[in-house]
Amino acid sequence: MFTASVEWSRPSANDGAATNVSPFLRAGGNKGLYRRLSENLADSAGRAQAAAFLQTQLAIAQATPCDLPDSAQDLLAWMLDTAQQATAQYSRYLAQRKAGAPRRFFTNRAHALYFLRSVAPTKLVDGAWLYGLLPHWRNPRFADLVRTYVEELGEGALEKNHVLIYRQLLARYDLDTSDDLDDNLYTQGLVQLALGCNAEDFLPEVIGFNLGYEQLPLHLLITAYELNELDLDPYYFTLHVTVDNFDTGHAKRAVQAVLGNLPRVGDGDDLANDFWQRVRRGYQLGDASMGSCEVIEGFDIEREVVRILAQKSIAGHGVHSDYCRVEGRHVNDWLARPEDIPAFLAALQRAGWIRRNAPVGQSRFWGLLQGSHAEMFGVFSGYELQVIHDWIRGGASVDGQPFTAPVTTHFTARRPGFRAASRLVTPPEEAPSSDTQDGELFDHDLQSLKLQLATLDEKGQRLLLVKTMSPTLHWTPAGLHATRLFCQRAV
């Protein structure tokens, strides 16, 4: 039994952790702690920092409204009502679109790619909040939660592992997240990692977070629809629409997990009430920092163009020849200070190098970036080119034209979406199963895992499998193999 399950008072390192946060966290180190927990198994210092971070977020959440019912016994009705509201709102959205309304979320293709890039820190740790319950898989009260975690991992199938699917989505559209995402974009993913490595002290909060995160939100339905419309792969999002359904999916299991873990022994009513209050706070952690809708609303294409060029200026301000001038000023000089980038863009427009609100073929600057004789070919990523492309085209970019399209091609909003176009493609030969792929892979961790398993007893094997199914590793060949073995033994 968990050490924190005797008294359902909020755990605290100093009974005042919300005000005794480490200097690292006070300095805004969400990104650093996120990377520490996502790239390595948490040590005692990492877990302590994660716990302090959770205390701060819980204190913030406690001051915000909560839409959960007053009693846990009303959760099933709440879940059904929430799902029906979402689907009813989605039906109205579809009717509005059919009547000619514009997209609600994404103004153009760059906007959608900006969203996919910005939420990556959250999506790349999908399911992490449940990891800490995996060692306790034999406890029947955690069966629904462990099953949900294993399904987030695709039960070891590489084509179903949620994190791997999102990694492939990022790679497909050249979305690099390793540079300068804002620190607050790591907050939600850090909440998930912090819960996962402190599950035994934050069990009610884990269960409450899971309750909120596995419900079907309206924004998920609209996101999938509009990505498809822009000819961008919506599979990651449509997958969550199906697995989170409120009949047999994660949404219903999340409710069952709350009800199944309510304390029943001892002073049951008081313990159950304390437990439920902590579940409610954990549920509110789902609103920590920026949510999907806030990320979408925060897109400003000109600001993003400035950010991209400012980032490039770090490496590019000393490599241009002396004859490269704009309005009599060397390009190297323009790029010497990132704060000069807005003025540089304005100068390029005045000089006719960029013609806004016109086809990109009319801008000489675009010819430097893209085309058969582009002098700056390879300098900008696919995402960055799409942002610049849509910024130049202005309002016309609503058609979702990819930056790779020939400049003479005319697109309409009625072209087939991603799923319709995919159905017209001849499917490739069926890929070998994950089991047979193991034998074809050269992967050090996978080979090391197999060798170690052969030397361990049953308990040691189980501990090693759980370790390899951590958020750090589960999407790798070794993690996928460990997940398959775990499923075989846990059934």
Side-chain angles (χ1 to χ4, degrees), residues 90 138 179 214 260 374 408 423 455 473 486:
Y90 184 56
R138 292 186 183 275
D179 46 18
E214 296 296 353
T408 56
R423 288 194 291 268
T455 66
L473 289 169
F486 179 87

Side-chain angles (χ1 to χ4, degrees), residues 29-49:
N30 289 352
K31 183 187 301 186
L33 184 55
Y34 172 95
R35 287 180 172 167
R36 179 177 179 179
L37 297 179
S38 64
E39 295 172 4
N40 303 281
L41 284 172
D43 55 17
S44 58
R47 285 193 295 273
Q49 282 191 322

Side-chain angles (χ1 to χ4, degrees), residues 107-186:
T107 51
N108 50 32
R109 192 177 177 91
H111 193 173
L113 294 176
Y114 167 87
F115 165 76
L116 295 177
R117 179 176 180 270
S118 297
V119 299
T122 301
K123 306 306 182 185
L124 292 178
V125 294
D126 202 358
W129 64 91
L130 293 173
Y131 172 64
L133 300 181
L134 202 57
H136 307 279
W137 64 272
R138 292 186 183 275
N139 186 335
R141 303 180 86 170
F142 303 147
D144 287 319
L145 298 167
V146 171
R147 182 180 173 190
T148 293
Y149 183 71
V150 171
E151 289 181 359
E152 298 283 345
L153 275 54
E155 298 179 320
L158 60 86
E159 68 276 8
K160 296 179 181 178
N161 180 284
H162 292 189
V163 170
L164 192 52
I165 291 170
Y166 207 83
R167 284 179 169 270
Q168 292 167 342
L169 182 67
L170 294 175
R172 179 173 195 155
Y173 298 114
D174 205 7
L175 301 173
D176 181 12
T177 62
S178 63
D179 46 18
D180 58 348
L181 288 179
D182 289 342
D183 193 73
N184 60 1
L185 292 173
Y186 290 84

Side-chain angles (χ1 to χ4, degrees), residues 200-260:
E200 297 193 9
D201 289 328
F202 291 88
L203 176 61
E205 287 81 10
V206 168
I207 292 173
F209 183 88
N210 184 70
L211 174 66
Y213 213 81
E214 296 296 353
Q215 302 308 309
L216 178 64
L218 174 64
H219 68 76
L220 188 67
L221 296 164
I222 296 177
T223 295
Y225 184 91
E226 295 193 1
L227 288 176
N228 177 66
E229 187 177 34
L230 288 164
D231 198 22
L232 296 168
D233 188 354
Y235 177 63
Y236 176 88
F237 299 90
T238 56
L239 174 66
H240 283 76
V241 172
T242 57
V243 300
D244 293 344
N245 76 82
F246 59 85
D247 182 24
T248 59
H250 294 181
K252 187 171 184 179
R253 279 193 234 145
V255 171
Q256 293 170 336
V258 175
L259 300 177

Side-chain angles (χ1 to χ4, degrees), residues 84-94 96 104 218 222:
Q84 288 169 358
Q85 287 186 43
T87 53
Q89 291 171 346
Y90 184 56
S91 294
R92 290 194 291 272
Y93 164 83
L94 293 177
Q96 292 167 357
R104 183 178 300 181
L218 174 64
I222 296 177

